[in-house]
Amino acid sequence: MELTPPGPRGIPPLFARLVDDSALFPPGDAAMPEALRSYLETRAGAHAGLVGLFLCQASRLPELITELIKIKPKTPLPLSLIIDTGLGGVPKAISIVESRDELLDLRMVEMPAPSDVDEVWLERVSEFVPEDVIRVVEPRRGVGWLDGVRKVIEHGSRPKIRCGGLSSENFPSVDEVADFLAVVSAHTGSSFKATNSLHRAVRHADAETGFAHHGFLNLLVAAARCLSGKDVRAALEETDGEVLAKEATALSEPAAKAVRELFGSYASASLDEPVEDLKNLGLL
């Protein structure tokens, strides 16, 4: 399913539908009415083309549907369903979504993988999720992590990389991200999703925690370099936004398209910060 068409109102193809809305999740933890209102306003605003899917936990589907009935959106909500009820809960959750197709448009299903990314488990994922819905599976970082990433790709799902969280252990190193990109790009036609702590465009140290946060623009440029055989690690380490912006701007349209075929989207609890950063860098 195509998720990265050229965005309306001047959104460059490199950033079209790049940011999925995870306002319901930490650190935002927004209430459902507020999260939906903000998402729908952004989808109708000047930077609508930047915004992708609305992320919602399977356990909160009744709440989501109740709010949508009140709002009465003109078109069904483009949804990524986050499975927090275990693999066995997938069929029921999908059935609920499909029964309210006037309100919900299921585009993606995301779930964490077990510690051992088992072939049988991945086959069940393929069986439970409709063929026209993107499957995203997050292998846990650790021993054998990249083997798990390969298995996910080989079974037709997108691997997800978690780029941060509430503790330092949640932040993958530059080498780990570079190795992940190398594995994904080695499989023709494969794509990945990123999540957590990617609200800002450029790599930086958080003033409160001191944690080094990856930037989504770093990831885009790193993906471009990965595809062209250039220095991926240097792109991930770069903290000068102007350097990254210049390289991103110089990408041809086919190159930008190839980058987005590799880097499908990322989840952000904030939609304002990505817009602000891209505008400040002259990219919007």
Side-chain angles (χ1 to χ4, degrees), residues 246-263:
K246 182 177 180 181
E247 190 165 343
T249 303
L251 292 174
S252 66
E253 187 169 334
K257 181 180 179 182
V259 169
R260 292 303 311 284
E261 287 174 351
L262 176 62
F263 182 5

Side-chain angles (χ1 to χ4, degrees), residues 44 65 71 74 93 106 122 126 156 169 192-193 215 224 247 253 268:
I65 291 169
I71 293 171
K74 295 180 180 179
L106 183 63
L122 287 168
S126 300
E169 291 77 17
F192 74 91
K193 181 167 186 175
E247 190 165 343
E253 187 169 334
S268 176

Side-chain angles (χ1 to χ4, degrees), residues 179-264:
D179 290 343
F180 174 85
L181 290 175
V183 168
V184 180
S185 64
H187 291 74
T188 302
S190 60
S191 179
F192 74 91
K193 181 167 186 175
T195 190
N196 275 48
S197 304
L198 284 169
H199 310 130
R200 311 304 315 209
V202 181
R203 182 177 177 84
H204 65 282
D206 185 89
E208 293 183 7
T209 65
F211 298 156
H213 285 239
H214 296 282
F216 67 83
L217 186 57
N218 294 79
L219 272 179
L220 286 166
V221 173
R225 290 190 183 187
C226 191
L227 293 171
S228 59
K230 297 179 181 178
D231 192 340
V232 172
R233 285 167 175 78
L236 293 169
E237 291 172 341
E238 183 61 67
T239 57
D240 188 331
E242 293 186 4
V243 170
L244 293 169
K246 182 177 180 181
E247 190 165 343
T249 303
L251 292 174
S252 66
E253 187 169 334
K257 181 180 179 182
V259 169
R260 292 303 311 284
E261 287 174 351
L262 176 62
F263 182 5

Side-chain angles (χ1 to χ4, degrees), residues 79-99:
L79 175 69
S80 180
L81 185 62
I82 310 300
I83 303 301
D84 61 347
T85 53
L87 183 60
V90 172
K92 180 180 179 181
I94 291 178
S95 177
I96 291 171
V97 173
E98 291 179 340
S99 71

